[in-house]
Amino acid sequence: MDDIDMISEISGSYLQKWMALKNFKNLSMLGLKEATSTLFYQQLEAAQQLGHNPIYEKFIDQTLYREKIDPLEAAKRVSSRLINEAQYTVESSILILSHTLLDTTLLELCRFSTVYHPERWDEDINEKTVKFEAVQSSDIHQIRQQILCKKIEELERKSLIEKADVLYKRCKPEANFCSTIHNEYVYDRDKLKMYDEQRHDIVHGRFNPTQQIKDFDNLLLFVEQTGMHFIIMICEYYNTKISSSKAFECMTIT
């Protein structure tokens, strides 16, 4: 695989998976909207049953229940909470999946750089030790690639923001680069770091499922554009181009 094929495969795969994520989001939101009234009437029936069905007499004071509980208000509150929790589940799932997609893409861009432009990484491997037998049996290019393969393995275990920092260190774009991919997009490391930490909080249960993720749609757009920002940044820095046919081929793989 040459450099054009590899960068085209990375970009095609990225776009395909983002299309799938956005389709999942749209279908989920449509489903929640359609389910809202059905869920309300289900909860209304349940609230009415608790106050009148003899089945519940043994463990509910139904007279007191009928005095204190308005079935309509109970149904509104419970169905609203259930819809909010379902929306949070959808949003948090999409956030986690988008994080995995962006993280994987940045790692692949780092790998691209080590394979086709390994000299850019020489400062990272200057202090690496190599066994004498390796020097005897391999040339300098093979030794460099072996060390860089281990470097990528180490980078795979690092955070999203660390991968982004490595790419910016290796392939820092021109000052006006951000305006060349989208008029309203600006790379924001602090926002990316917040997103990285937010995903970590969700995975470890440090998030309230009754609250929605703040400014979710704009956050998702920022993340999607950030991936393309890095892809195009690599193309520009290394003076390579994406093959539209190869990228489309990757996008349509089933």
Side-chain angles (χ1 to χ4, degrees):
M1 181 184 294
D2 62 20
D3 59 339
I4 292 178
D5 280 350
M6 185 172 183
I7 198 69
S8 300
E9 188 172 289
I10 291 170
S11 59
S13 176
Y14 183 77
L15 290 170
Q16 179 201 38
K17 287 172 178 144
W18 262 107
M19 287 169 59
L21 269 182
K22 289 190 286 188
N23 189 48
F24 170 64
K25 172 182 175 290
N26 292 337
L27 289 176
S28 297
M29 293 302 129
L30 180 63
L32 286 174
K33 184 178 180 181
E34 292 296 318
T36 299
S37 60
T38 300
L39 188 61
F40 168 76
Y41 286 113
Q42 287 176 343
Q43 296 307 312
L44 177 60
E45 182 180 358
Q48 291 170 335
Q49 287 288 322
L50 284 172
H52 296 87
N53 195 320
I55 294 175
Y56 304 112
E57 281 182 336
K58 292 183 179 179
F59 55 90
I60 291 178
D61 184 336
Q62 291 183 310
T63 301
L64 183 61
Y65 177 89
R66 289 193 294 269
E67 291 175 359
K68 299 290 185 181
I69 302 298
D70 176 2
L72 276 173
E73 181 62 25
K76 286 179 184 178
R77 292 176 65 178
V78 173
S79 60
S80 176
R81 179 179 61 80
L82 291 174
I83 289 293
N84 285 341
E85 288 178 350
Q87 184 173 339
Y88 167 80
T89 301
V90 170
E91 290 181 355
S92 60
S93 299
I94 292 171
L95 191 146
I96 291 169
L97 289 170
S98 68
H99 184 282
T100 300
L101 174 53
L102 182 58
D103 186 84
T104 301
T105 300
L106 296 193
L107 181 66
E108 287 304 304
L109 292 174
C110 289
R111 194 189 311 278
F112 171 88
S113 178
T114 63
V115 170
Y116 293 104
H117 303 277
E119 69 282 354
R120 304 289 187 185
W121 295 74
D122 282 351
E123 64 181 271
D124 284 272
I125 63 178
N126 277 340
E127 298 180 3
K128 295 291 185 181
T129 57
V130 181
K131 290 183 179 180
F132 182 67
E133 62 183 280
V135 177
Q136 287 182 306
S137 60
S138 306
D139 63 29
I140 187 64
H141 300 294
Q142 289 175 317
I143 293 171
R144 176 196 266 159
Q145 282 301 332
Q146 289 169 4
I147 295 173
L148 288 176
C149 281
K150 291 181 180 178
K151 181 72 178 177
I152 292 297
E153 288 176 4
E154 293 171 5
L155 194 57
E156 187 173 8
R157 296 188 288 272
K158 294 187 180 295
S159 70
L160 171 67
I161 198 68
E162 288 175 294
K163 294 181 180 72
D165 287 346
V166 165
L167 283 170
Y168 253 77
K169 182 181 178 182
R170 293 285 157 270
C171 317
K172 189 174 182 180
E174 298 295 330
N176 67 343
F177 172 73
C178 290
S179 63
T180 65
I181 65 164
H182 194 284
N183 290 335
E184 298 178 0
Y185 176 82
V186 176
Y187 177 69
D188 187 334
R189 185 185 184 278
D190 290 337
K191 189 172 182 178
L192 189 65
K193 185 177 181 182
M194 178 210 72
Y195 163 77
D196 193 25
E197 293 170 349
Q198 195 169 17
R199 172 261 177 196
H200 193 267
D201 287 343
I202 291 172
V203 169
H204 293 280
R206 294 191 293 270
F207 230 78
N208 186 347
T210 62
Q211 297 177 353
Q212 302 311 301
I213 296 173
K214 185 178 179 181
D215 206 14
F216 177 70
D217 288 336
N218 284 331
L219 176 60
L220 209 61
L221 179 61
F222 167 76
V223 175
E224 180 184 7
Q225 291 178 345
T226 296
M228 289 309 302
H229 167 80
F230 277 103
I231 289 171
I232 297 171
M233 183 179 83
I234 293 295
C235 288
E236 185 170 293
Y237 188 83
Y238 291 126
N239 194 28
T240 189
K241 294 185 181 294
I242 295 169
S243 164
S244 56
S245 59
K246 182 67 176 179
F248 182 75
E249 180 184 326
C250 295
M251 288 175 64
T252 54
I253 291 173
T254 58

